[in-house]
Amino acid sequence: MLSFGSGPMFIIWSLSEFSAMSSGSGRIIIAGIASVLFCYLTNNKLPNERIIWIYCIFFGLITLAIPFLLVPYSLKFISTTELAIFLSSIPLFVLVLARVFLKEKITIKKWLGFFIGIIGLIILSEPQNFKIENSNEVLASILCIVISICLASGGILIQKMPKNNPISFSTGSFLIASLIAIPIFILSSPYSIPSTKPIIGIFFVGIISTFFGGVCRVLLIRRAGAVFTSINGYLVPLVTCSLGVIFLNEDLNLITISSFLIVITGVLVAQDFDKEVTKFLKLFL
């Protein structure tokens, strides 16, 4: 959770001298290099089956390249706390995608949780303030929802794909994403060498949040499933919000707090959290 939750803070650091596109593409390239090195240092190899490469292409494009390129642009107009709340909706989108592509049954309670979460996102977006001069904030909110759907789809892809080596798959996916990111980074990179803090930010988000977090996510989904993994992700916004307040001096207003509580309520309702609490209490009563 710490690896994913710290990502927005590192991106903010990088954006002080990197453009949104160079920051997003740079983190992908760094993660790609780390992934290839890790793969070979652990005596693994790249995928050798065509079908696995097809999944790598889709995962690399949809779950790595697109969201990681969009996140820095969104952070130019919204806070890390707001981004975290948008991303906390990922478990809700996983539920819907699991129903469509994995044919998993969704109960009325799960649908209720989904709609509660959507209401939280709408409140966070503050539609009453949508004006022409606020078009960047509107676009950032829309992009955050797109990012959440892209990341949610990754869990479905991993669960649906044939059995394979998760390290090899992760490396192949990062390699595809890096091939997309390299020309973007070349065209958008700064004209002069950035100072230390932005370089540390883009390096840390590439290694800690992207590479390490990505590998852990693939391993978890393969072992426990997309729905289980996504519900544990609701701790990420807590980490992101805390780091934003402590290190970036961000403020928490009533709308932000209310939106977060509503989204988390929707996630907990959708995941039958009450049953889990009951089971936990029975162990001690």
Side-chain angles (χ1 to χ4, degrees), residues 49-219:
E49 298 178 45
R50 182 182 177 184
I51 183 64
I52 302 301
W53 273 112
I54 292 175
Y55 276 94
C56 286
I57 291 171
F58 277 101
F59 191 87
L61 174 63
I62 298 173
T63 309
L64 298 178
I66 293 177
F68 292 158
L69 288 170
L70 294 180
V71 165
Y73 181 82
S74 299
L75 284 173
K76 292 178 65 177
F77 306 106
I78 62 174
S79 68
T80 60
T81 299
E82 291 171 314
L83 172 67
I85 296 172
F86 276 112
L87 297 186
S88 68
S89 67
I90 291 175
L92 304 174
F93 290 116
V94 168
L95 282 177
V96 177
L97 293 174
R99 172 62 184 137
V100 174
F101 295 102
L102 302 180
K103 307 303 179 184
E104 291 189 11
K105 184 179 179 181
I106 300 182
T107 63
I108 294 178
K109 183 184 287 188
K110 290 182 184 295
W111 280 118
L112 176 62
F114 175 78
F115 286 112
I116 291 174
I118 293 299
I119 290 172
L121 295 182
I122 292 174
I123 293 174
L124 176 65
S125 300
E126 299 185 68
Q128 71 276 9
N129 294 329
F130 282 3
K131 300 175 183 178
I132 299 299
E133 58 265 29
N134 292 330
S135 59
N136 286 326
E137 287 83 350
V138 177
L139 178 59
S141 298
I142 294 172
L143 289 180
C144 284
I145 294 175
V146 172
I147 291 167
S148 298
I149 295 173
C150 286
L151 292 174
S153 66
I156 306 303
L157 279 171
I158 293 172
Q159 195 167 332
K160 193 174 178 63
M161 68 186 296
K163 223 173 172 184
N164 66 91
N165 183 330
I167 302 298
S168 298
F169 170 74
S170 179
T171 303
S173 300
F174 273 118
L175 191 58
I176 295 296
S178 296
L179 293 176
I180 298 171
I182 287 173
I184 296 175
F185 184 79
I186 292 174
L187 294 173
S188 60
S189 58
Y191 292 107
S192 58
I193 299 176
S195 55
T196 303
K197 188 174 181 179
I199 292 176
I200 291 175
I202 200 170
F203 182 80
F204 277 15
V205 75
I207 297 295
I208 298 175
S209 305
T210 313
F211 161 66
F212 182 73
V215 171
C216 289
R217 182 170 180 249
V218 170
L219 291 172

